[in-house]
Amino acid sequence: MTSTAASVPFSGPFAIGTLSAPGGARFPGLVAPDGRVLDLCTALGEPTLTTLVLLERWDEQLPLLRTLVEDPAGDWRPLADLAVHAPLEPRQIFQSGANYRQHVIDLGIAHRAPDDPRTLEEARAEIAAIMDKRAAEDLPYVFIGLPTAISGPYDDVVLPAWAKKPDWELELAAVISRPAYRVTVEQALDHVAGYTIANDLTDRATVFRRDMPPIGTDWLRCKNAPGFTPLGPWIVPAGSVADPSDLQVTLKLNGKTMQDESTKDMIFDVARIVSYISQTARLLPGDLVLTGSPAGNGIHWGRLLRDGDVMDGSITGLGAQRTRCVAQEAAAVGAPVDPIAVK
């Protein structure tokens, strides 16, 4: 899809994206705020360079990128002439759930039992107290996503026929540069190259296994359909983001604002999440750490995604993405019956 990002600003002197000319191969691009793009394969003399390789050398390349963006004589191209893809193909995706205080309260209310004796106000107060205690004493809740769910920031999102309650979840995503294993909270942000936007779509109907209730949630099923994680458009270097705990996360559905919350509402901030993940897993350059979604999901509004819906997502200083929903007919994929959902 041709870029519509030229008019969307980002913080700092440059960002990194993955782009292509019509009929051409994808390349990592140095993007200037005024809508110019420099092909880093050409500029760095490495025809096979990818954004992932660039992140593996982030500490070494960052000073050079700062120099390149100030060179008016470079072989710059207009962003408007290029297609914008997901900024990278990550090795691993770590997703933080239930990480915005108000969002968790809303979900708790939405999923409470019909015979719950508490009033609405009592239920909200009780869930809020649990969240405050969790922030002080507990640990982030993190699960694993699949790289095959990644799609571009302007790509259509295909809604599978089996997904009966598809929902949006706009999120701040941290992009790892240095490998991280058993790092402290104080060290964690030293391993973050920058930040981007992710829309972590979820089919609410398949979050919980109906055939095996004691097993609990099924994140594979509800979150990992192809293209269910629109990503980008840019990776904005961490040094250009003043405070990742003070960014506005906004999603509009067909022009109507549905999510509009600050990352201040996070229960666990980026550093705590990265450090927590690293106590078990080895984070690698190019890995994504999704930090959870704020209040205002479709399940809260009673309005889930449909064929033809357009989502506009933005986060302060990171640009914006626009994706259109397209229904996938069951017959088109030869799978008219979902064996899990019918149980």
Side-chain angles (χ1 to χ4, degrees):
M1 181 180 291
T2 301
S3 167
T4 59
S7 62
V8 179
F10 52 81
S11 298
F14 69 87
I16 300 297
T18 296
L19 308 103
S20 66
R26 298 183 183 191
F27 62 87
L30 184 70
V31 185
D34 60 1
R36 294 174 298 133
V37 177
L38 186 66
D39 182 342
L40 290 173
C41 292
T42 302
L44 299 177
E46 298 186 45
T48 61
L49 184 69
T50 65
T51 306
L52 181 58
V53 172
L54 188 69
L55 289 164
E56 290 175 336
R57 310 175 193 161
W58 189 247
D59 291 341
E60 169 192 341
Q61 297 288 354
L62 191 56
L64 180 56
L65 297 177
R66 294 186 179 122
T67 300
L68 287 173
V69 78
E70 295 174 357
D71 181 7
D75 186 16
W76 294 94
R77 308 186 197 185
L79 174 58
D81 294 345
L82 302 170
V84 179
H85 309 283
L88 81 158
E89 296 180 1
R91 291 185 177 97
Q92 303 180 106
I93 303 174
F94 299 90
Q95 296 165 279
S96 180
N99 193 42
Y100 277 77
R101 188 176 183 276
Q102 189 58 50
H103 174 52
V104 175
I105 294 171
D106 289 346
L107 283 178
I109 295 299
H111 289 291
R112 67 178 182 148
D115 59 350
D116 190 328
R118 299 172 297 175
T119 66
L120 187 63
E121 292 73 19
E122 288 172 341
R124 284 190 175 277
E126 185 174 318
I127 299 168
I130 292 171
M131 289 305 99
D132 292 341
K133 184 174 186 292
R134 181 175 168 230
E137 301 176 7
D138 294 336
L139 299 169
Y141 177 49
V142 179
F143 48 93
I144 309 300
L146 296 178
T148 53
I150 296 292
S151 58
Y154 308 108
D155 293 345
D156 288 346
V157 173
V158 176
L159 303 177
W162 53 260
K164 304 305 181 186
K165 295 183 178 180
D167 201 349
W168 58 84
E169 291 198 39
L170 201 70
E171 308 193 13
L172 174 68
V175 183
I176 299 299
S177 53
R178 300 177 188 168
Y181 184 60
R182 301 189 67 80
V183 300
T184 66
V185 173
E186 293 73 23
Q187 296 167 331
L189 294 187
D190 293 337
H191 298 261
V192 173
Y195 298 92
T196 190
I197 303 171
N199 191 355
D200 179 27
L201 270 67
T202 304
D203 175 43
R204 300 293 179 191
T206 51
V207 171
F208 299 102
R209 288 293 294 256
R210 294 181 228 172
D211 56 335
M212 294 185 291
I215 296 295
T217 50
D218 188 346
W219 298 123
L220 170 67
R221 185 65 171 168
C222 69
K223 285 183 174 287
N224 285 287
F228 251 36
T229 312
L231 188 72
W234 318 123
I235 299 170
V236 176
S240 298
V241 178
D243 184 358
S245 293
D246 189 14
L247 305 176
Q248 200 71 16
V249 179
T250 305
L251 183 136
K252 296 182 179 181
L253 181 69
N254 303 326
K256 181 179 179 181
T257 300
M258 310 302 277
Q259 288 183 292
D260 192 21
E261 182 63 82
S262 171
T263 54
K264 289 179 180 178
D265 196 47
M266 283 184 183
I267 298 168
F268 302 102
D269 63 16
V270 177
R272 287 183 71 183
I273 297 170
V274 170
S275 174
Y276 169 73
I277 294 168
S278 80
Q279 303 311 308
T280 299
R282 187 179 298 278
L283 286 157
L284 301 171
D287 286 355
L288 293 177
V289 176
L290 276 58
T291 59
S293 189
N297 302 108
I299 197 72
H300 166 74
W301 295 110
R303 167 60 163 93
L304 296 159
L305 293 170
R306 306 168 186 160
D307 183 45
D309 281 344
V310 175
M311 295 178 287
D312 288 287
S314 64
I315 297 180
T316 309
L318 304 185
Q321 55 178 234
R322 166 172 282 197
T323 51
R324 180 172 62 99
C325 296
V326 179
Q328 179 188 54
E329 296 298 332
V333 293
V337 177
D338 174 16
I340 294 178
V342 299
K343 289 187 179 290

